[in-house]
Amino acid sequence: MARVGYIGLGLMGAPMARNLMGAGHDLVVHNRSRAIVEQLASEGATPATSPREVAEQSDFVFTNLPDSPDVELVVLGADGVLAGAHAGMIYIDNSTIKPETARRIAAELEKVGAAGLDAPVSGGDIGAKAGTLSIMVGGPQEAYDRALPLFEVLGKTITRVGDSGAGQIAKAANQTVVAGTMVAMCEALVLAQKAGVDPARVVQAISRGAAQCWALDNKPAKLFKRDLAPGFKAYMQAKDLKIVVDTGRTYEVPLPLTAVTHQIFEAMIGMGNGDLDNSAVITVLEALASVQVGQAE
Amino acid sequence: MARVGYIGLGLMGAPMARNLMGAGHDLVVHNRSRAIVEQLASEGATPATSPREVAEQSDFVFTNLPDSPDVELVVLGADGVLAGAHAGMIYIDNSTIKPETARRIAAELEKVGAAGLDAPVSGGDIGAKAGTLSIMVGGPQEAYDRALPLFEVLGKTITRVGDSGAGQIAKAANQTVVAGTMVAMCEALVLAQKAGVDPARVVQAISRGAAQCWALDNKPAKLFKRDLAPGFKAYMQAKDLKIVVDTGRTYEVPLPLTAVTHQIFEAMIGMGNGDLDNSAVITVLEALASVQVGQAE
């Protein structure tokens, strides 16, 4: 069993840390707000007072944080993971951040004989609890091989996509398609509703052909019941889309469709709906069309 | 067995007409270019010289034509279907056209005691040949019930979506999602390629989660082999998207994402790629990013 550290015990991080502990690993934890640290300590984890302290006591150090600046601060800042890193330590970032940031952090860790893996996840808090996440990994093959037993505790579909940053590129690609299908589906439903056609029948008519997608399979029933609870919160979707568009700029890849989906999700946040599910982006299209989708008949 | 007419014997219409004949119906056919008419006559169909003549000899009259003006001409024009329509005749349009045109034609037919069903299809020429199309039907329940045995010869998923025009609304919704998922997938693949990550591994990493869609399941392998043959031709996709955007304007439904996908498909036609598969819309994103997607490693 390995000595495992986990920093960032939010909606995703806490259940992932618990699963690692449940698999028999010695868990050291750190978080900005302390309540969850004390909770996990009561379940058997060792609390630490800084990311540096977590790193000093661990063979594998995970982070799960909101955005790129948070990860930079926790790894490269004072008393950060880098300050406590040691030869052979593997740092694994489950956050969704910019690929460039992931690459820079991996390069810094390499200088002290440690390794960095970017390993963003998909599957939401349900997947985090159930240990069924998709994990997209970038970084050295050898570090990946050593970390694989831990990934297998956390997820079901685990893919080493390529070198450092490749996991974040895959996550960006994922979010492009997730948001694109979601907004396209919402436009289709709003058009049907406003044209006087039952959107539920439209879903029935189109969902088994070339329009088939996860969004269409999973979201309409909830939307028709006005169940807009997350799931995956819209403000996180918007944050991820900003990363996609910024990454496009970095690599000189114009992304006209993703730019529009990003703006539509920003509009959703502007409407005060950022804490709803990403499928609730339908509220933006409904506002534009002055209509509300529901059972028409 | 019914007397069935079929007008418009193109890539879709010819195999659909053949399937109706194969199911034992008496088939009367008409087409602007005569070669396919003679071919089907040699297989047992009765050739006609005008849409009026087809209607006069048939209980059910199908059309399968490129666009709204073609359907208007063939049905409402001189020697058109309406001129040969009779009480109890059912007109079935398998074309993808504007919902308003479908409603107007159905109203004209009703005046002479006939009925009109809009019944656009999805599934391509492969589905047309195999009799596995999705058929989205709008129009009176009674006419739908009478036509259902014929639909069951042509397709697998048959849905009466609602009243006249509802089939075309469902098709518009279908094309919104089909084109949206296709362009989103292409942006994701181009981003991965230009960022130096193998797009095939990205597909592997993301295709079993919330990004799952028909496009991602069916198209990447062909795109990586540079197999851009249709399938569903891009210029037809662009034509259908124009109908979607026009329909949005009719019902005052702004469709920001579909407007962008429409423009991207128009760009593809401008590049001279309109005869390629709709998945070859990746050539537009590749041109914008100065890169070509393929196996990176």
Side-chain angles (χ1 to χ4, degrees), chain A residues 11-86:
Chain A
L11 204 64
M12 297 295 289
M16 292 170 75
R18 272 201 183 93
N19 283 342
L20 290 164
M21 189 160 55
H25 299 291
D26 295 325
L27 188 70
V28 184
V29 290
H30 179 66
N31 195 57
R32 195 170 46 180
S33 74
R34 301 298 295 172
I36 183 66
V37 172
E38 282 156 31
Q39 177 59 42
L40 283 170
S42 78
E43 297 171 25
T46 304
T49 58
S50 72
R52 180 179 57 71
E53 204 180 297
V54 173
E56 285 168 351
Q57 300 177 34
S58 302
D59 306 312
F60 299 89
V61 178
F62 288 84
T63 52
N64 205 325
L65 299 161
D67 206 347
S68 310
D70 309 295
V71 174
E72 281 188 284
L73 183 69
V74 163
V75 179
L76 306 178
D79 283 327
V81 171
L82 184 63
H86 42 94

Side-chain angles (χ1 to χ4, degrees), chain B residues 3-278:
Chain B
R3 298 184 305 161
V4 175
Y6 211 108
I7 301 164
L9 304 163
L11 203 64
M12 297 294 290
M16 291 170 76
R18 272 202 183 92
N19 283 343
L20 289 164
M21 188 159 56
H25 298 291
D26 295 326
L27 188 71
V28 185
V29 290
H30 179 65
N31 195 57
R32 195 169 46 181
S33 75
R34 301 297 296 171
I36 183 67
V37 172
E38 282 155 30
Q39 176 59 43
L40 283 169
S42 78
E43 298 171 25
T46 305
T49 58
S50 72
R52 181 180 54 72
E53 205 180 297
V54 174
E56 285 167 352
Q57 300 177 33
S58 302
D59 306 311
F60 298 89
V61 178
F62 288 81
T63 52
N64 204 325
L65 299 162
D67 207 345
S68 310
D70 310 294
V71 174
E72 281 188 282
L73 183 68
V74 163
V75 179
L76 307 178
D79 284 327
V81 171
L82 183 63
H86 42 95
M89 189 197 89
I90 296 177
Y91 165 69
I92 299 162
D93 183 23
N94 294 137
S95 321
T96 297
I97 64 167
K98 293 188 191 189
E100 310 92 89
T101 306
R103 286 172 183 173
R104 191 151 55 82
I105 285 172
E108 290 298 322
L109 287 162
E110 210 182 324
K111 290 179 191 169
V112 299
L117 298 172
D118 46 303
V121 304
S122 168
D125 58 323
I126 293 169
K129 280 177 196 145
T132 57
L133 294 166
S134 289
I135 312 180
M136 300 152 237
V137 190
Q141 182 74 50
E142 193 249 334
Y144 173 82
D145 291 341
R146 279 180 57 209
L148 189 55
L150 301 178
F151 289 139
E152 286 170 343
V153 169
L154 302 171
K156 207 172 57 175
T157 305
I158 300 139
T159 311
R160 180 176 173 266
V161 184
D163 296 332
S164 191
Q168 296 298 349
I169 292 288
K171 183 68 189 282
N174 185 69
Q175 296 305 68
T176 288
V177 179
V178 168
T181 54
M182 205 62 85
V183 174
M185 176 191 76
C186 291
E187 289 194 355
L189 296 178
V190 168
L191 178 63
Q193 182 76 43
K194 190 99 188 271
V197 175
D198 182 354
R201 297 245 206 129
V202 169
V203 170
Q204 192 188 331
I206 73 175
S207 58
R208 275 181 270 180
Q212 184 279 326
C213 57
W214 184 93
L216 206 50
D217 287 345
N218 288 279
K219 295 301 182 181
K222 287 185 183 176
L223 292 177
F224 297 149
K225 285 188 296 187
R226 220 60 192 169
D227 174 3
L228 308 181
F232 181 54
K233 287 189 181 178
Y235 79 84
M236 292 298 284
Q237 176 79 81
K239 179 222 102 183
D240 289 358
L241 288 171
K242 182 172 185 307
I243 289 173
V244 179
V245 172
D246 287 350
T247 303
R249 185 179 297 124
T250 299
Y251 294 102
E252 299 182 329
V253 180
L255 301 166
L257 182 121
T258 307
V260 170
T261 60
H262 178 216
Q263 291 301 305
I264 292 173
F265 275 97
E266 292 292 347
M268 182 178 176
I269 292 170
M271 288 166 67
N273 289 343
D275 280 320
L276 301 180
D277 190 59
N278 63 340

Side-chain angles (χ1 to χ4, degrees), chain A residues 1-2 8 44 54 56 63 78 85 88 94 107-108 137 177 213 232 235 242 247 262 272 274 285 297:
Chain A
M1 291 295 115
V54 173
E56 285 168 351
T63 52
N94 293 137
E108 290 297 322
V137 190
V177 179
C213 55
F232 180 53
Y235 79 85
K242 183 173 185 308
T247 302
H262 178 215
L285 287 315
E297 298 181 277

